[in-house]
Amino acid sequence: MNRALRIIFSRYGIIVIILVLVLGVIALANRRQETPLDGTNGVDSSEGEATSEGLREDDGFATEECEGDGCFTDAELPEEAVETAVEFAEAWLNPDGRSAQGWHDSIEPFLTSDSADAMEGVDPETVPAEEVVGEATAEGLKVSVPLDTGTLTLTMVEGSNPWTENGWLVSAIDWEQS
């Protein structure tokens, strides 16, 4: 038993263990690529048990699924949501020249928890604009804020985070340069 443990925990044993783990991960990754992503779970749709709308190419835009009474997809967002989007845009532009952490702290109250986590560590120097130059417009759940070098499009959701109780929050940020 001691000899087996010495072999396993020697540098050669550890190398073999790491090699086996790497090969296992590669095998699982290859298996996952072979699995159809069409929702049939391996069932032949010609048998009539499962159907598929087919794969859709990801356009790169974040979308929010909406269910229940809180959906505003066919109606205009309330003015409160648009105002929150504009306030976020003004903080996002970092007019006060805050440090990365100070900037993150200033935009965090406007973001969903997931969005705030995604923005952690972002350098405010990478913000591609300096000022709001027009009126914000709402379409569905999205608010477009015209800036000096493009348009900031914010997806708004009603919810809460550690700083805001039940209000409008930014769940996705999209930038289109003009």
Side-chain angles (χ1 to χ4, degrees):
M1 183 68 175
N2 271 344
R3 184 174 181 188
L5 289 175
R6 264 190 283 151
I7 292 172
I8 290 173
F9 290 110
S10 71
R11 74 179 97 172
Y12 300 112
I14 292 173
I15 290 172
V16 169
I17 291 170
I18 291 172
L19 185 61
V20 168
L21 288 174
V22 168
L23 291 175
V25 168
I26 291 171
L28 287 174
N30 286 339
R31 172 71 177 121
R32 182 163 176 94
Q33 288 176 352
E34 295 169 4
T35 304
L37 299 175
D38 62 3
T40 61
N41 295 327
V43 176
D44 182 9
S45 61
S46 64
E47 297 175 12
E49 293 185 29
T51 60
S52 171
E53 294 180 19
L55 296 177
R56 296 185 187 146
E57 188 174 327
D58 183 8
D59 63 1
F61 290 101
T63 59
E64 292 291 325
E65 299 217 3
C66 186
E67 297 177 4
D69 296 334
C71 297
F72 285 90
T73 54
D74 294 332
E76 282 191 37
L77 283 172
E79 188 61 31
E80 176 188 351
V82 176
E83 289 172 4
T84 300
V86 171
E87 288 176 32
F88 168 80
E90 290 169 349
W92 183 72
L93 293 171
N94 195 25
D96 300 325
R98 294 183 177 99
S99 67
Q101 187 59 48
W103 175 75
H104 185 267
D105 291 346
S106 72
I107 64 171
E108 201 168 23
F110 299 102
L111 299 169
T112 61
S113 295
D114 289 342
S115 295
D117 290 345
M119 295 294 286
E120 187 72 37
V122 172
D123 182 4
E125 294 294 319
T126 62
V127 173
E130 294 182 8
E131 65 180 330
V132 175
V133 294
E135 291 291 318
T137 57
E139 184 177 325
L141 292 174
K142 297 187 184 293
V143 176
S144 297
V145 182
L147 303 177
D148 56 346
T149 58
T151 303
L152 181 64
T153 303
L154 306 170
T155 303
M156 305 299 291
V157 295
E158 199 168 10
S160 63
N161 62 21
W163 307 271
T164 305
E165 289 186 27
N166 207 21
W168 287 96
L169 301 171
V170 176
S171 66
I173 302 166
D174 191 27
W175 169 254
E176 184 178 322
Q177 191 165 356
S178 57

